[in-house]
Amino acid sequence: SAINFLERLCLTWMFFFMMCVAERTYKQRFLFAKLFSHITSARKARKYEIPHFRLKKVENIKIWLSLRSYLKRRGPQRSVDVVVSSVFLLALSIAFICCAQVLKGHKTFLNAPYNWEFLIWEAALLLFLLRLVSLGSETNKKYSNISILLTEQINLYLKMEKKPNKKEQLSLVNNVLKLSTKLLKELDTPFRLYGLTMNPLIYNITRVVILSAVSGVISDLLGFNIRV
């Protein structure tokens, strides 16, 4: 019993240590995204002591897109995604087991000690995933903020009226901004869950398995069939 307890304790510590590392990486990504969104604002750039430049030249737009791509790839990517996917699969498996146990006998579900252990693990994993979902969603919003490009387009239109002699050059910059806006919309992956990049297999498993299990539990508790 003592060896079994120590093994569980060590495995739990290692697992939650990896989750803390993943959360720290997500916090760094959010910080980079937050500072990146302030680059084109003079007031915010001065407040956070970061470089500032406007997207009024093609070279500046190129630098802005390159910097965005560099910051999104900065830090560990695959290892963190593996940890998050593993946590998601573990939470999904525990939820599926709990749903199966409830369907088997919901009145005696809480009588078994291992079911309590499953519930504690599920609660801890869900709290961690909610934290990552929050950070990932905010990071995604910062990088996919199209309003920055739209604001620069409005500034270019206003500048065209003041400087008609530079209308051709400003029109070129405006066209590049329009293409950049379309590019940012196309870059969003379809398998994304509130900022968390999901594997297509995990994405499909989530839609089919967990929804079917939840539908079965609700139908069993309420007494009539419900299809989710």
Side-chain angles (χ1 to χ4, degrees):
S1 300
I3 294 176
N4 189 15
F5 175 77
L6 289 177
E7 288 179 350
R8 286 191 178 189
L9 185 64
C10 292
L11 290 175
T12 303
W13 180 84
M14 291 174 61
F15 195 79
F16 279 93
F17 175 77
M18 290 189 296
M19 291 196 298
C20 291
V21 172
E23 183 181 3
R24 181 182 178 185
T25 304
Y26 269 73
K27 287 181 179 179
Q28 290 179 349
R29 292 179 184 178
F30 174 69
L31 178 61
F32 293 151
K34 181 180 178 181
L35 296 178
F36 174 76
S37 64
H38 297 336
I39 287 179
T40 55
S41 174
R43 179 180 59 84
K44 293 181 179 179
R46 193 183 308 112
K47 177 182 178 181
Y48 291 95
E49 299 180 353
I50 57 177
H52 164 69
F53 59 88
R54 299 288 299 275
L55 304 180
K56 58 183 180 180
K57 296 181 180 179
V58 178
E59 291 80 7
N60 291 356
I61 300 175
K62 182 179 179 181
I63 294 173
W64 187 80
L65 291 174
S66 300
L67 182 61
R68 178 183 182 275
S69 178
Y70 171 75
L71 291 177
K72 290 195 71 174
R73 295 196 308 267
R74 182 179 173 84
Q77 297 289 332
R78 184 173 299 179
S79 58
V80 174
D81 291 339
V82 168
V83 172
V84 176
S85 299
S86 302
V87 173
F88 188 83
L89 283 176
L90 182 59
L92 188 65
S93 302
I94 294 176
F96 183 76
I97 293 173
C98 291
C99 290
Q101 292 289 335
V102 170
L103 291 176
K104 185 178 179 180
H106 60 272
K107 293 183 179 180
T108 59
F109 175 73
L110 297 178
N111 294 337
Y114 58 84
N115 286 334
W116 283 99
E117 186 176 356
F118 281 146
L119 291 177
I120 294 173
W121 267 93
E122 185 70 12
L125 295 177
L126 286 179
L127 288 175
F128 172 75
L129 287 175
L130 286 176
R131 175 62 175 165
L132 289 190
V133 163
S134 176
L135 290 172
S137 178
E138 292 298 324
T139 303
N140 193 44
K141 287 180 181 179
K142 296 294 183 181
Y143 281 125
S144 302
N145 191 5
I146 308 298
S147 60
I148 296 176
L149 301 179
L150 296 178
T151 303
E152 294 295 336
Q153 290 183 33
I154 294 175
N155 293 332
L156 286 176
Y157 281 121
L158 297 176
K159 192 173 291 185
M160 287 180 190
E161 295 182 357
K162 294 181 180 180
K163 298 179 180 180
N165 56 331
K166 295 185 178 180
K167 187 175 182 179
E168 183 178 354
Q169 179 182 357
L170 295 176
S171 298
L172 176 62
V173 178
N174 185 44
N175 292 332
V176 176
L177 284 175
K178 290 181 179 179
L179 293 175
S180 300
T181 303
K182 294 181 180 179
L183 177 64
L184 294 184
K185 292 180 179 179
E186 293 293 332
L187 285 178
D188 289 335
T189 175
F191 302 105
R192 183 175 290 275
L193 182 64
Y194 293 102
L196 297 180
T197 302
M198 304 300 297
N199 186 284
L201 179 60
I202 300 176
Y203 185 83
N204 292 325
I205 290 175
T206 304
R207 293 179 56 186
V208 177
V209 177
I210 194 65
L211 291 180
S212 300
V214 172
S215 176
V217 171
I218 295 176
S219 300
D220 182 71
L221 294 177
L222 298 181
F224 53 89
N225 294 328
I226 294 179
R227 292 185 179 182
V228 180

